[in-house]
């Protein structure tokens, strides 16, 4: 039976809500059993299929490298041939960073290098070698490989949406393989999976994030730690998220992202010049060189013979997390990237946020390691080991006379959470409403309230660990889905390249090929 676009959107919304309700109910009723079960499943996937994660990410990088460096493919525009980008490069880059990994970098910019320094995978702990390895590994976890996961999902969706006139949805990337069957059960499954991953992808950082904000408030203002404060924080974030969604993409997420990126740049400049500037710059050059020279070996390193438990707890955990969260991030990046060429897209998504991430990690991580290893400020290492959520505030406390910086950090964290929740909710509306990001007001508010309510309930019963493990588990089937999407994308590119090669009558780019957006 042929259905309309509106009907399949309704099916996606209904299926997503039903599966999510069952999952959340299971966690709420038996939080301890649920946590144990999903942790066991997470470990099983890590042991049996760790190799698949690594090879998948390597494959994504190869596809992106080909697209970016190919003369003909790289010049294809994601849109009509005459179109130009909707957003400036600065605004585009700000939204990429703020809605991708920005919040994670704020928390782990100090903590992760220190943790690798204290407990490296192969080097001797607390040595100069451990310092160098700590930065190389941190760069690897937040660098090209991580952003390649986001970029490949966003690219295949952008290509289907803007060159083939299909909806901005996960299912559209499968069109070259199954045609109009994307509007049937297969497409419903893929989009419902994306909605589920998006909701859990918002709930997980929001739940852990408010606990970390609560720790920051406790550290700075002696605000008591507890569920009551965390619930109030979630309600506050939810209200601001609703306001941002109602303002729309250009007046909401864009403005918040630009504001936050400017605050982040200010924080980096302060730390760079308040610390040992020349030492930080020298170490940065050395660390970036080590990272680039070891990029290929690290891409295939599973530590199977040296430290498999470290690999499971760090690299594999990150890869599963990035892949699972690529659903909301990829759809959002696709939404803001219309009008760019494939080459601009590939190099923009890989270079802008990665360069910013490496600079951020260098300034904060190397300064922290210098304090601990060279200056003997061991209390910072103790703070990271005790509670990584307050490590950043302890770090800024070591800069005497500039207590206001910690307040600025707290503000930045709050805004990062809003942009993350905002972009994720926008993606849910795109996947479940025929009006996309212009979904009815009631629907936008419904999803914000739903996400906030689920987060509050999980915090109250102690189910955040279980839902985090669920998100990581979702990374495995999604890695398979993305690999299939890549196969369809390559098939479409080959067909388009053949059309260009046979078009001997004109030197211009081929006319836009379109397919009907719905049967």
């Amino acid at each position: 039976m042929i259905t309309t676009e509106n009907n399949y959107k309704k099916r996606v919304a209904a299926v997503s809500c039903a599966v999510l309700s069952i999952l959340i109910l299971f966690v709420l009723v038996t939080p301890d059993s649920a946590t144990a079960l999903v942790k066991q499943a997470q470990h099983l996937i890590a042991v049996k299929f760790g190799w698949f994660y690594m090879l998948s990410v390597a494959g994504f990088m190869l596809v992106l490298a080909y697209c970016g460096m190919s003369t003909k493919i790289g010049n294809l525009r994601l849109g009509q041939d005459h179109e130009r980008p909707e957003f400036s490069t600065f605004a585009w880059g700000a939204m990429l960073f703020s809605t991708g990994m920005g919040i994670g970098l704020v928390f782990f910019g100090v903590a992760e290098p220190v943790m690798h320094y204290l407990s490296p995978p192969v080097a001797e702990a607390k040595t100069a070698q451990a310092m160098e390895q700590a930065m190389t590994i941190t760069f690897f976890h937040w660098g090209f490989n991580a952003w390649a996961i986001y970029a490949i999902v966003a690219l295949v969706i952008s290509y289907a949406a803007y060159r083939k006139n299909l909806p901005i949805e996960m299912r559209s990337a499968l069109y070259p393989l199954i045609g109009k069957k994307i509007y049937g059960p297969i497409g419903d499954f893929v989009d419902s999976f994306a909605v589920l991953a998006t909701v859990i992808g918002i709930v997980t950082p929001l739940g852990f994030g408010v606990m970390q904000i609560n720790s920051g408030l406790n550290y700075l203002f002696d605000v008591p730690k507890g569920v009551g404060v965390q619930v109030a924080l979630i309600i506050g974030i939810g209200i601001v998220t609703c306001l941002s969604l109602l303002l729309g993409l250009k007046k909401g997420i864009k403005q918040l992202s630009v504001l936050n990126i400017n605050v982040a740049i200010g924080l980096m400049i302060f730390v760079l010049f308040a610390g040992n500037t020349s030492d930080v710059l020298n170490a940065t050059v050395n660390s970036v060189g080590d990272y680039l020279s070891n990029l290929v070996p690290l891409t295939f390193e599973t530590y199977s013979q040296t430290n498999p438990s470290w690999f499971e707890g760090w690299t594999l955990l990150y890869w599963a997390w990035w892949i699972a969260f690529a659903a909301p991030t990829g759809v959002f990046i696709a939404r803001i990237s219309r009008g760019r060429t494939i080459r601009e897209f590939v190099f923009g998504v890989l270079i802008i946020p990665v360069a910013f991430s490496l600079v951020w990690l260098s300034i904060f991580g190397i300064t922290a390691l210098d304090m601990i290893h060279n200056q003997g400020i061991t209390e910072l290492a103790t703070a990271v080991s005790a509670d990584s959520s307050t490590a950043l505030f302890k770090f800024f406390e070591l800069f005497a006379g500039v207590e206001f910086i910690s307040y600025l950090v707290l503000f930045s964290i709050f805004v990062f959470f809003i942009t993350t929740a905002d972009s994720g909710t926008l993606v849910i509306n795109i996947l479940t409403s025929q009006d996309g990001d212009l979904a009815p007001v009631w629907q936008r508010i419904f999803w914000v309230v739903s996400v906030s309510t689920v987060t509050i309930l999980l915090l109250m019963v102690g189910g955040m660990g279980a839902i985090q493990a669920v998100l990581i588990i979702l990374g495995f089937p999604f890695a398979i889905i993305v690999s299939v999407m890549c196969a369809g994308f390559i098939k479409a590119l080959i067909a388009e390249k053949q059309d260009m090669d046979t078009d001997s009558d004109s030197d211009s780019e081929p006319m836009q090929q379109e397919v009907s957006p719905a049967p």
Side-chain angles (χ1 to χ4, degrees):
M1 178 179 180
I2 294 178
T3 59
T4 65
E5 179 179 356
N6 188 31
N7 283 338
Y8 83 70
K9 294 271 191 176
K10 289 180 179 178
R11 292 201 307 269
V12 169
V15 171
S16 302
C17 288
V19 175
L20 183 65
S21 298
I22 294 171
L23 176 62
I24 298 302
L25 184 63
F26 172 56
V27 175
L28 291 178
V29 173
T30 59
D32 294 335
S33 299
T35 301
L37 180 62
V38 295
K39 288 286 186 181
Q40 184 179 4
Q42 176 189 332
H43 174 71
L44 180 64
I45 291 173
V47 171
K48 299 294 184 181
F49 299 103
W51 58 271
F52 179 73
Y53 281 103
M54 303 301 284
L55 290 181
S56 296
V57 175
F60 300 158
M61 295 183 71
L62 288 175
V63 173
L64 290 170
Y66 169 75
C67 292
M69 292 186 287
S70 170
T71 302
K72 292 184 178 180
I73 298 301
N75 287 333
L76 293 176
R77 194 168 294 278
L78 298 173
Q80 299 290 335
D81 296 336
H82 64 274
E83 282 190 79
R84 292 299 178 266
E86 181 180 3
F87 300 99
S88 69
T89 300
F90 183 79
W92 184 58
M95 286 189 283
L96 289 177
F97 181 76
S98 295
T99 57
M101 300 179 182
I103 187 61
L105 286 172
V106 172
F107 279 113
F108 292 106
V110 168
E112 183 168 342
V114 173
M115 285 189 276
H116 294 322
Y117 166 75
L118 298 175
S119 182
V122 291
E124 183 180 349
K126 303 179 183 179
T127 61
Q129 183 184 5
M131 282 183 65
E132 293 187 356
Q133 190 178 90
M135 292 309 304
T136 301
I137 292 171
T138 304
F139 284 173
F140 177 62
H141 288 161
W142 297 85
F144 292 112
N145 297 59
W147 276 96
I149 297 168
Y150 289 169
I152 195 66
V153 174
L155 179 58
V156 296
I157 294 173
S158 297
Y159 180 84
Y162 302 136
R163 286 206 66 81
K164 304 302 179 184
N165 197 34
L166 290 161
I168 306 177
E169 299 163 0
M170 298 293 296
R171 71 174 72 212
S172 297
L174 298 176
Y175 190 91
L177 298 176
I178 62 175
K180 291 186 178 182
K181 290 182 180 179
I182 63 170
Y183 300 107
I186 296 175
D188 291 353
F189 169 78
V190 171
D191 278 353
S192 299
F193 185 94
V195 172
L196 182 65
T198 301
V199 173
I200 297 177
I202 301 172
V203 168
T204 304
L206 182 60
F208 285 106
V210 294
M211 289 189 280
Q212 292 169 324
I213 294 176
N214 193 180
S215 296
L217 290 171
N218 176 262
Y219 188 85
L220 295 173
F221 305 109
D222 291 326
V223 174
K225 291 185 180 181
V227 174
V229 175
Q230 292 158 16
V231 168
L233 287 170
I234 292 172
I235 293 173
I237 291 173
I239 291 172
V240 180
T241 300
C242 280
L243 293 175
S244 179
L245 281 172
L246 295 178
L247 287 172
L249 180 60
K250 294 183 178 179
K251 293 182 179 180
I253 298 176
K254 174 188 171 183
Q255 297 301 327
L256 285 173
S257 298
V258 170
L259 169 65
N260 219 17
I261 207 70
N262 283 311
V263 172
I265 290 172
L267 290 172
M268 287 195 300
I269 292 173
F270 167 78
V271 174
L272 176 62
F273 289 103
N276 294 326
T277 307
S278 59
D279 290 345
V280 170
L281 293 175
N282 283 326
T284 296
V285 172
N286 183 75
S287 297
V288 171
D290 286 344
Y291 165 58
L292 294 177
S293 63
N294 287 284
L295 181 59
V296 173
L298 285 173
T299 297
F300 297 95
E301 178 60 79
T302 63
Y303 298 91
S304 59
Q305 304 301 318
T306 53
N307 200 341
S309 60
W310 183 94
F311 170 72
E312 180 183 341
W314 281 102
T315 303
L316 193 59
L317 187 69
Y318 269 125
W319 271 211
W321 183 281
W322 299 147
I323 291 172
F325 203 63
T329 307
V331 173
F332 178 76
I333 293 175
R335 170 60 186 84
I336 64 175
S337 298
R338 182 172 189 137
R340 299 188 180 276
T341 65
I342 289 180
R343 182 176 295 106
E344 288 174 342
F345 178 92
V346 169
F347 286 107
V349 175
L350 290 183
I351 291 177
I352 294 174
V354 170
F356 194 95
S357 299
L358 296 188
V359 172
W360 178 280
L361 292 167
S362 295
I363 292 174
F364 282 83
I366 292 172
T367 300
L369 291 175
D370 176 69
M371 288 177 172
I372 297 170
H373 187 78
N374 297 324
Q375 301 178 40
I377 306 177
T378 56
E379 58 264 34
L380 179 58
T382 303
V384 170
S385 299
D387 186 359
S388 60
S389 64
T390 59
L392 187 61
F393 300 102
K394 179 65 178 177
F395 172 76
F396 279 107
E397 186 183 80
L398 298 173
F399 296 95
V402 287
E403 289 81 1
F404 76 93
I405 293 292
S406 294
Y407 308 144
L408 197 61
V409 171
L410 196 60
F411 169 78
S412 182
I413 292 170
F414 187 77
V415 177
F416 268 128
F417 273 118
I418 292 169
T419 54
T420 300
D422 209 346
S423 61
T425 309
L426 181 140
V427 168
I428 297 172
N429 286 312
I430 288 175
L431 296 174
T432 59
S433 170
Q434 61 177 334
D435 298 313
D437 54 300
L438 298 177
V441 171
W442 70 265
Q443 184 166 329
R444 297 187 230 179
I445 294 175
F446 167 79
W447 284 110
V448 174
V449 172
S450 297
V451 168
S452 301
T453 302
V454 169
T455 308
I456 289 171
L457 291 173
L458 289 172
L459 281 172
M460 293 177 68
V461 302
M464 289 309 304
I467 210 67
Q468 180 187 36
V470 169
L471 180 62
I472 295 169
I473 291 170
L474 290 178
F476 177 63
F478 194 63
I480 299 174
I481 292 173
V482 176
S483 298
V484 174
M485 290 167 58
C486 282
F489 176 59
I490 293 170
K491 179 182 178 182
L493 286 181
I494 292 173
E496 184 148 3
K497 189 173 183 297
Q498 288 174 344
D499 290 341
M500 288 188 285
D501 290 339
T502 57
D503 187 7
S504 57
D505 296 330
S506 174
D507 293 329
S508 61
E509 294 180 356
M511 294 296 291
Q512 173 118 350
Q513 301 178 30
E514 296 186 356
V515 295
S516 174

